[in-house]
Amino acid sequence: MTRDRRILIKNIYHMLSYAFSSLNHEGFQNVAKEEFDNIQNMFAAILSRGVNLQLKQGLYKEYVEKTEDLSVIHGKINLQGTIRNKIEKRKLVTCDFDELSENNIFNQIIKSSMLLLLSSSEVEEQYKKEMKKSLLFFSTIDEVADLKNIQWSSIRFQRNNQSYRLLLGISQLMIEGMIITTDKGIYKIATFVDDQKMWHLFQNFILEYYKKHYPELRPHSPQIPWDVPESTDMTLLPTMQTDIVLHNKPKTLIIDAKYYSKSSFQKQFDKQTIMSGNLYQIYTYVKNYDNDNTGNVSGLLLYAKTDEELEAKADYMMGNNHIGIDNLDLNVEFENIREKLDSIVERELLYARRIMGANS
């Protein structure tokens, strides 16, 4: 079982700070020092503080399409509406025009997220009080009609709204990972983020950690091409999208990050084994990447350790390539997590040297 939920939640905050560098802004220093009993309070603290900072800069405005009946022409004449006004003997022209407005999808999502947190009995009053103050500045902004159908991929960031990355990132994590719908169609917020969204955060954290602390290893997440003849029809072959790839010539390490809140094992013939699909996946990545069979490419299945007592930990040589299985315990102080991520790099490099030394 999780030893201290507050430690896990604090580590999620640290993971978020790598995914969203603005959390390292001095404006969030007090939030970083807090201890949270539940994840709703952490999201409420980040969102309320982030919105306050944004309000000091001013809410983002963008052009939105509007149609109104006016006494003078503004923009383009809407013929259908103007004819209707003529029939109804109204001396007005219907016009279509663009107007710079705060009532856009960016602010609508933030407002809806704050209202969602306000509806939760788990959120402490101090955070609710701050959000209620902020909502006074959102009075002309609509709520999102359907939270589950937000087109996140269509949201575009540019120079004038970069400060919204954190606010929308937290909102997306909460809306996609924690929203549940009651029988009456009312949205409620769950007690924790679902595994799919936590997995994305976990893998992004590892990638960003290595980008920040080991840039010389060129951390990235490329797609691996299939080692098949050029004439092969690739239509039915799935994309091999890696999580993290590190390079230190001649060695390459492919890390496949996994997050399961319950169990990372399967039961097979009365014994516990790691999930077959996970092992097949990392093996396939390594073998297709190392298409010359040099043995210089290794793979690591890295599991987030949360509530499970058993540890997935092993090392194998599979057809000249090293395949490792390891855990990153999220129930320990973050300094221990840093040490573990650092040791993975050192261990894999040392392992490569031992293999090369034995073959020389």
Side-chain angles (χ1 to χ4, degrees), residues 253-278:
L253 172 63
I254 301 173
I255 300 176
D256 199 32
K258 301 295 182 185
Y259 183 98
Y260 301 101
S261 59
K262 303 227 178 271
S263 178
S264 54
F265 293 89
Q266 64 181 13
K267 198 163 187 178
Q268 195 173 49
F269 304 112
D270 295 325
K271 74 171 184 176
Q272 295 269 22
T273 70
I274 63 168
M275 294 183 184
S276 305
N278 294 345

Side-chain angles (χ1 to χ4, degrees), residues 33-297:
K33 295 174 184 177
E34 290 189 52
E35 289 192 353
F36 301 101
D37 292 325
N38 61 60
I39 200 164
Q40 293 98 321
N41 278 329
M42 184 186 74
F43 285 152
I46 294 173
L47 207 57
S48 61
R49 184 56 186 151
V51 170
N52 283 338
L53 291 172
Q54 186 61 50
L55 286 171
K56 291 177 181 178
Q57 297 180 39
L59 292 177
Y60 171 64
K61 295 180 180 180
E62 67 179 10
Y63 284 101
V64 296
E65 295 180 0
K66 298 193 74 173
T67 300
E68 288 186 6
D69 293 329
L70 304 172
S71 57
V72 295
I73 296 174
H74 178 50
K76 295 181 180 179
I77 296 176
N78 183 306
L79 287 176
Q80 185 177 359
T82 301
I83 291 170
R84 185 184 65 248
N85 287 333
K86 188 74 173 175
I87 293 171
E88 295 174 358
K89 297 182 178 180
R90 301 171 65 204
K91 296 181 180 180
L92 295 172
V93 180
T94 303
C95 299
D96 296 327
F97 57 94
D98 292 334
E99 183 176 83
L100 202 58
S101 172
E102 294 176 345
N103 191 19
N104 54 64
I105 189 62
F106 291 86
N107 295 319
Q108 289 168 7
I109 289 174
I110 292 170
K111 179 176 182 175
S112 299
S113 299
M114 287 194 290
L115 290 172
L116 190 63
L117 287 165
L118 283 173
S119 69
S120 173
S121 60
E122 300 294 326
V123 177
E124 293 179 7
E125 192 59 37
Q126 59 173 318
Y127 306 122
K128 288 185 175 182
K129 186 177 179 181
E130 288 298 316
M131 287 187 288
K132 286 176 182 177
K133 288 180 183 177
S134 297
L135 281 168
L136 295 174
F137 297 89
F138 286 75
S139 59
T140 60
I141 296 168
D142 297 330
E143 295 179 49
V144 176
D146 187 353
L147 288 173
K148 287 195 171 181
N149 283 314
I150 295 173
Q151 301 300 310
W152 297 99
S153 60
S154 67
I155 295 174
R156 295 288 179 265
F157 292 97
Q158 33 88 2
R159 184 172 56 86
N160 292 333
N161 59 24
Q162 283 296 316
S163 56
Y164 275 72
R165 282 190 179 275
L166 170 64
L167 298 174
L168 264 63
I170 295 297
S171 296
Q172 183 177 6
L173 183 60
M174 186 174 66
I175 290 170
E176 289 192 333
M178 297 181 71
I179 286 290
I180 55 177
T181 310
T182 66
D183 294 336
K184 296 181 180 180
I186 299 172
Y187 290 128
K188 292 184 67 177
I189 190 166
T191 57
F192 211 74
V193 183
D194 72 15
D195 280 8
Q196 186 71 12
K197 297 306 295 183
M198 281 302 302
W199 166 58
H200 283 299
L201 175 61
F202 181 60
Q203 69 179 41
N204 194 34
F205 155 63
I206 298 169
L207 177 61
E208 294 301 323
Y209 179 88
Y210 285 129
K211 280 184 177 180
K212 180 176 181 179
H213 301 290
Y214 293 90
E216 70 277 10
L217 300 181
R218 295 184 289 122
H220 62 311
S221 52
Q223 291 182 359
I224 299 174
W226 287 91
D227 183 23
V228 294
E230 290 184 9
S231 59
T232 302
D233 181 0
M234 308 287 286
T235 306
L236 297 179
L237 288 177
T239 301
M240 289 190 285
Q241 178 62 57
T242 60
D243 292 343
I244 305 102
V245 176
L246 307 174
H247 301 280
N248 187 26
K249 288 185 178 182
K251 178 71 175 174
T252 295
L253 172 63
I254 301 173
I255 300 176
D256 199 32
K258 301 295 182 185
Y259 183 98
Y260 301 101
S261 59
K262 303 227 178 271
S263 178
S264 54
F265 293 89
Q266 64 181 13
K267 198 163 187 178
Q268 195 173 49
F269 304 112
D270 295 325
K271 74 171 184 176
Q272 295 269 22
T273 70
I274 63 168
M275 294 183 184
S276 305
N278 294 345
L279 186 57
Y280 299 157
Q281 182 182 26
I282 191 66
Y283 180 80
T284 303
Y285 285 4
V286 168
K287 285 302 181 182
N288 280 272
Y289 200 103
D290 191 20
N291 52 16
D292 291 328
N293 197 30
T294 65
N296 288 327
V297 181

